[in-house]
Amino acid sequence: MPTRTAAQKRAQAKGDYDAFLAKCPSRQLLDRISDKWVALILAALGSDGPHQSGDDCGGGPQSMRYSELSRRLAGISQKMLTQTLRSLERDGLVTRTVTPTVPVTVTYELTDLGLSLHHVMRGIKDWAEAHMDEVLATREKYDTNIA
């Protein structure tokens, strides 16, 4: 049996990923990126989130401080925001930059990998917003028929 290089082994493993298998790492990644807070953080860092008056709405990716993200993501707890940002950083989707100022400034921004996922998630977010009226009407009809 011929010896394979590390690159060949990675290529083989990549071809073997199957999210339908319980132990496949891609299933764990799908679980992570399907989280609502991940989608909203990616949208905010990708500059897709709701903007307050006076916000820079340039439309492109931007770095944001923790407090800016916290304000943008209504309803997220400090613990959940911290955990989600750490997991995104661990997965290589977000970078955390610490600037030694007084007080210390910490900013977050999308990596190239995070930006590629942001484009996909933006489409899902846009779909949800565009079809919400239809979904709500269908839910109401369903609930009426069940009752």
Side-chain angles (χ1 to χ4, degrees):
M1 175 183 238
T3 304
R4 295 185 301 167
T5 66
Q8 290 171 325
K9 290 177 184 177
R10 282 192 301 272
Q12 176 64 38
K14 184 178 180 181
D16 291 342
Y17 293 145
D18 182 351
F20 290 107
L21 300 175
K23 297 202 184 266
C24 182
S26 63
R27 184 180 280 198
Q28 295 168 352
L29 183 59
L30 282 172
D31 183 49
R32 166 117 52 241
I33 64 177
S34 64
D35 179 80
K36 71 177 173 185
W37 296 121
V38 168
L40 293 172
I41 288 171
L42 291 174
L45 291 174
S47 196
D48 288 343
H51 297 280
Q52 308 299 321
S53 59
D55 276 359
D56 177 17
C57 298
Q62 61 184 3
S63 63
M64 294 179 77
R65 294 183 69 174
Y66 183 94
S67 59
E68 293 174 298
L69 281 166
S70 182
R71 281 191 302 272
R72 178 73 50 93
L73 302 170
I76 192 168
S77 69
Q78 182 177 350
K79 178 182 178 184
M80 183 55 66
L81 180 56
T82 299
Q83 286 177 344
T84 306
L85 286 168
R86 284 182 183 160
S87 70
L88 290 172
E89 184 180 8
R90 180 175 183 249
D91 289 340
L93 301 172
V94 168
T95 58
R96 178 180 185 263
T97 305
V98 179
T99 307
T101 57
V102 179
V104 173
T105 303
V106 179
T107 57
Y108 297 89
E109 66 183 303
L110 295 176
T111 63
D112 289 341
L113 185 61
L115 189 57
S116 68
L117 178 58
H118 163 261
H119 294 302
V120 173
M121 298 302 283
R122 179 178 47 204
I124 294 170
K125 177 185 156 292
D126 290 346
W127 182 91
E129 292 170 349
H131 293 89
M132 198 62 233
D133 287 340
E134 185 179 348
V135 170
L136 289 172
T138 305
R139 284 180 185 173
E140 185 176 331
K141 182 179 176 183
Y142 179 89
D143 292 345
T144 301
N145 290 337
I146 294 297

